[in-house]
Amino acid sequence: MADTCGQVLLGSGLTVLSHPLMYIKVLVQVGHEPLPPSLGRNLFGRQVYQLPGLFAYAKHIIKIDGKAGLFNGLAPRLCAGTIGTLVHSRVLQVSGTSQKAEEGSLQHVVNEVCINLSSKTTKEMIARSCATIVTHPFHVITLRCMVQFIGRETKYSGVFDSIVTVYKNEGVLGFFAGLIPRLLGDVLSLWICNMLAHLINTYAIDDSFFASMLTYPFVLVSNLMAVNDCGLAGGLPPYASIYPTWVDCWRHLSLEGNMSRGNSLFFRKLPVGKTYAIDQKRFF
């Protein structure tokens, strides 16, 4: 219990510190680009037009909403983190305990099958999936509190009020918008990490980095579907297209070549086929 409480406190602290980064990342993921490109240099020293990075975007938010504006959606995210840690820990505890049964009995046979199937990875996958499903409603509310910045709405103002708003407008299913691609991304990330762990650890490289690159499209699609057609300006045309299913969203992003949108908040190059108004005064 003490270990779980420590994990909750540590996780909450990291959540608070990382929240501005996630906030900006989400706004970039949904395609909100309020600032024009600027002339900069890439890693090779070549002059290119780049979209504003993390710090420029943060200054823009502070200019409009103040420093507190960088923490929009923090309350439901903290709820998700706390509940997710508790559920994850509890599921691992339950899956780690097995009752003894008489040899030859039906229960004994079932236990033998479960032991063979329940590897460390499988147990972790089940625990993560349970935590993701239970906390996804808070994840949806978090994203919508953030995306409100685009249209300057106040539709989602608090955890309880937001729960009522989602249920009233979309029913129970509204709390699980974007759940499937998020689950797929989590499961694939876990298995990829474990499969590549030995090879990557040999070269002292963090295996989670490669897993996050491969599964990022699932994160992007999940976040887009969580705010898609939810009544906020950021989830409606002309800011965003309306997708019937997450598969349609995936296909659209693939055709546009935007599957990595928001993956990096530094050295952000202009997407192919996109045009932005450029302030020429900056360069003279």
Side-chain angles (χ1 to χ4, degrees), residues 85-101:
T85 300
L86 295 175
V87 172
H88 181 273
S89 177
R90 181 57 180 167
V91 172
L92 285 180
Q93 289 176 3
V94 172
S95 63
T97 59
S98 59
Q99 297 180 347
K100 294 182 178 179

Side-chain angles (χ1 to χ4, degrees), residues 24-35 51 57 147 150 220 224 227 234 238-240 253 256 258 261-262 268 271 274 276:
I24 295 170
K25 197 177 190 72
V26 168
L27 293 179
V28 172
Q29 284 177 338
V30 299
H32 184 53
E33 298 292 351
L35 301 173
L51 290 171
Y57 215 124
V147 174
I150 299 174
L220 175 61
L224 290 178
V227 300
Y239 293 102
L253 292 175
E256 285 191 339
N258 278 336
R261 185 172 66 195
R268 298 176 54 222
K274 292 282 187 178
Y276 298 89

Side-chain angles (χ1 to χ4, degrees), residues 10-266:
L10 177 60
S12 297
L14 293 175
T15 296
V16 173
L17 292 176
S18 65
H19 192 77
L21 176 63
M22 179 190 175
Y23 183 22
I24 295 170
K25 197 177 190 72
V26 168
L27 293 179
V28 172
Q29 284 177 338
V30 299
H32 184 53
E33 298 292 351
L35 301 173
S38 60
L39 190 62
R41 296 184 182 274
N42 58 19
L43 292 174
F44 303 100
R46 180 183 175 185
Q47 281 194 333
V48 293
Y49 280 108
Q50 299 173 337
L51 290 171
L54 170 66
F55 300 108
Y57 215 124
K59 288 181 180 179
H60 173 72
I61 294 175
I62 293 174
K63 184 178 179 180
I64 296 176
D65 289 339
K67 293 181 180 179
L70 290 173
F71 296 92
N72 286 334
L74 177 60
R77 191 180 174 208
L78 285 173
C79 291
T82 301
I83 296 173
T85 300
L86 295 175
V87 172
H88 181 273
S89 177
R90 181 57 180 167
V91 172
L92 285 180
Q93 289 176 3
V94 172
S95 63
T97 59
S98 59
Q99 297 180 347
K100 294 182 178 179
E102 295 183 5
E103 187 173 355
S105 67
L106 177 60
Q107 184 63 43
H108 175 75
V109 175
V110 172
N111 287 348
E112 286 296 316
V113 173
C114 290
I115 291 173
N116 291 331
L117 290 177
S118 61
S119 63
K120 182 179 179 181
T121 301
T122 303
K123 290 179 180 179
E124 178 65 21
M125 179 188 70
I126 294 173
R128 285 193 188 185
S129 298
C130 290
T132 297
I133 293 172
V134 172
T135 62
H136 194 73
F138 294 100
H139 180 68
V140 170
I141 293 172
T142 298
L143 295 175
R144 295 185 181 183
C145 287
M146 294 175 171
V147 174
Q148 285 186 141
F149 175 81
I150 299 174
R152 310 305 299 158
E153 296 112 330
T154 57
K155 191 174 181 179
Y156 299 90
S157 56
V159 177
F160 180 76
D161 290 340
S162 297
I163 291 174
V164 174
T165 300
V166 174
Y167 182 77
K168 185 183 298 183
N169 295 334
E170 303 167 61
V172 176
L173 292 179
F175 293 107
F176 299 97
L179 174 62
I180 295 177
R182 187 183 178 203
L183 274 177
L184 290 175
D186 286 346
V187 171
L188 285 175
S189 177
L190 176 62
W191 282 96
I192 291 172
C193 282
N194 287 335
M195 286 190 296
L196 299 180
H198 177 71
L199 176 62
I200 296 176
N201 288 337
T202 302
Y203 297 95
I205 302 175
D206 185 7
D207 55 342
S208 62
F209 174 74
F210 290 93
S212 64
M213 286 196 304
L214 294 174
T215 60
Y216 180 77
F218 291 96
V219 176
L220 175 61
V221 172
S222 174
N223 287 352
L224 290 178
M225 291 305 298
V227 300
N228 181 63
D229 196 19
C230 67
L232 297 176
L236 295 169
Y239 293 102
S241 301
I242 295 179
Y243 307 106
T245 67
W246 71 270
V247 177
D248 295 299
C249 179
W250 184 290
R251 289 173 179 170
H252 183 255
L253 292 175
S254 297
L255 291 175
E256 285 191 339
N258 278 336
M259 294 302 290
S260 62
R261 185 172 66 195
N263 194 16
S264 174
L265 296 179
F266 300 95

